[in-house]
Amino acid sequence: MSNPVRARITGVGHFLPEERVTNADLEKLVDTNDEWITTRTGIKERRILRDPEKATSYMASEAAKEALAHAGVDASEVDAILVATVTPDYLFPATAALVQKNIGAGKAFGFDISAACSGFLYALSTGAMMIESGRLRKVLVIGADKMSSILDYTDRATCIIFGDGAGAVLLEPSTDGRGMVDFLQVTEGDDQQLLCQIAGGSRNPATHETVDNKWHYIRQDGKTVFKKATEAMADISAAIMERNGLTGDDVAWLVPHQANLRIIAATANRMGLSMDKVMVNIEKYGNTTAATIPLCLYDWRNKLQAGDNIVLSAFGGGFTAGAIYIKW
Ligand code: UT7
């Protein structure tokens, strides 16, 4: 009997703006210091897309082009483009539509997925199911966020955490056992506004008042979100391992969302993994929201071996959480 069709990642790409903002740079803006940021989060610097002419679709397109080149696939062959983001260029049209035009993916349809820091995983599982169905053969999945566009650089509780960036993967069918094996996703609706941007949508359209009140910026109750994130990421990662009969010894890499080094360490600990099996680049890029996981895959692309068991794991606003088990 032949293997089931799985969606395999055949190309990985990235985009990072050149401008680096260090903890020392932020010390000039808010009452903070390198020691606090490093010990509480693990972050040393983050990238910022300063050019006002460029937004999320630009970064997403650059990452997509690199993923296609890596896979040796022409943009004209792409069937679908999924962009996970909370910082779309516009509320509509979708960022995916802008990417489709930018990269010349003439026959592709596309749409955006909004699931905050879990967005890339939700998009990846959606793209993988499109491939598994047999209907599509080449699906681009992109995580991209220009977090600097919704950050209040007078709020030390949020501006130190986030950065800008994009990562992309190409999914293609595989019947050799490699590809996405399983996924778990949960959404726990949060009506307390613990992690959100409350204006700019239909509830609070832009007015002078919403701007004056800084409602177009991200807001977060860090302590509460930290507690929830630590529990949820560890729980969902342990659950996907259990469901697939995996122990810590079986897992080659954990690819965690990069929100806080302490959350990542707690997840690894629960999975029975030492930190040398955990992809961590938070010190260089901070939390790039939907881009953290594909940026890890990009940075580690030459270390991944065919057949490696890898677990991707995330938690974010919504609240959303997800884990994906991939045989690389
Ligand atoms: O990616 C989506 C999901 N997001 C997350 O997972 C983020 C989860 N939250 C976190 O990572 C952490 O809660 C933060 C990094 C945001 C904050 O770390 P914390 O250890 O939870 O700090 P805290 O909020 O409990 O604040 C401790 C102290 C407070 O001072 P007092 O009240 O003890 O005097 C804060 O005012 O640190 C103060 N503080 C700061 N001090 C220097 C808060 N922000 C800063 C800062 N620099 N940037």
Side-chain angles (χ1 to χ4, degrees):
M1 213 173 73
S2 62
N3 285 319
V5 175
R6 285 186 174 152
R8 186 165 84 79
I9 293 175
T10 57
V12 189
H14 84 306
F15 178 83
L16 288 160
E18 276 174 24
E19 183 171 338
R20 292 158 201 263
V21 174
T22 64
N23 292 346
D25 294 328
L26 291 172
E27 285 176 13
K28 293 174 200 140
L29 299 178
V30 288
D31 179 15
T32 190
N33 57 75
D34 176 50
E35 205 259 329
W36 191 96
I37 300 173
T38 307
T39 54
R40 298 286 179 131
T41 70
I43 301 166
K44 296 300 266 183
E45 62 180 39
R46 62 293 286 148
R47 304 294 184 91
I48 300 295
L49 183 63
R50 193 77 68 179
D51 184 345
E53 299 295 317
K54 293 186 173 130
T56 296
S57 67
Y58 171 77
M59 297 192 294
S61 301
E62 293 302 304
K65 283 190 250 175
E66 191 176 26
L68 288 174
H70 184 211
V73 168
D74 193 80
S76 62
E77 299 173 57
V78 174
D79 297 308
I81 301 169
L82 311 185
V83 178
T85 186
V86 290
T87 51
D89 289 34
Y90 312 110
L91 279 182
F92 73 92
T95 314
L98 307 176
V99 172
Q100 187 257 4
K101 182 165 169 58
N102 286 348
I103 67 172
K107 74 166 182 183
F109 68 89
F111 56 91
D112 292 359
I113 288 181
S114 175
C117 297
S118 308
F120 181 77
L121 294 195
Y122 282 32
L124 191 63
S125 62
T126 305
M129 287 187 283
M130 290 169 157
I131 298 277
E132 288 166 6
S133 76
R135 297 292 291 264
L136 304 180
R137 298 192 60 81
K138 293 186 181 3
V139 178
L140 263 175
V141 180
I142 306 167
D145 271 300
K146 185 181 173 181
M147 296 305 291
S148 61
S149 67
I150 57 167
L151 280 179
D152 175 2
Y153 283 95
T154 65
D155 176 14
R156 70 177 182 173
T158 51
C159 76
I160 55 126
I161 296 170
F162 295 95
D164 301 339
V169 300
L170 183 72
L171 293 176
E172 296 186 78
S174 141
T175 50
D176 62 2
R178 296 167 66 193
M180 185 182 81
V181 181
D182 196 13
F183 72 91
L184 273 175
Q185 283 162 190
V186 294
T187 299
E188 184 191 320
D190 162 36
D191 57 5
Q192 298 175 65
Q193 303 182 339
L194 295 169
L195 176 53
C196 56
Q197 177 194 334
I198 64 168
S202 57
R203 176 77 76 94
N204 297 304
T207 62
H208 286 290
E209 189 196 7
T210 63
V211 174
D212 291 345
N213 289 336
K214 299 187 170 185
W215 288 355
H216 295 269
Y217 292 130
I218 189 168
R219 54 170 71 184
Q220 166 171 255
D221 175 343
K223 231 185 210 353
T224 311
V225 174
F226 181 89
K227 194 164 174 292
K228 282 200 145 310
T230 308
E231 284 168 9
M233 252 175 76
D235 281 353
I236 205 156
S237 307
I240 203 159
M241 286 174 72
E242 194 179 338
R243 191 155 96 166
N244 290 279
L246 296 172
T247 67
D249 290 341
D250 302 318
V251 175
W253 293 102
L254 165 65
V255 193
H257 170 53
Q258 312 279 308
N260 187 310
L261 190 53
R262 292 179 288 151
I263 300 174
I264 295 171
T267 303
N269 185 43
R270 177 76 170 280
M271 294 169 74
L273 296 181
S274 53
M275 285 304 281
D276 59 344
K277 288 174 146 192
V278 183
M279 297 187 191
V280 177
N281 56 17
I282 192 172
E283 72 284 359
K284 294 190 288 183
Y285 314 135
N287 181 348
T288 53
T289 303
T292 60
I293 288 176
L295 281 173
C296 281
L297 292 175
Y298 179 81
D299 280 357
W300 267 262
R301 68 197 180 287
N302 295 327
K303 295 206 177 86
L304 289 161
Q305 310 273 348
D308 275 353
N309 291 318
I310 70 171
V311 175
L312 285 48
S313 178
F315 174 86
F319 291 114
T320 55
I324 293 184
Y325 165 31
I326 289 174
K327 195 165 270 294
W328 190 257

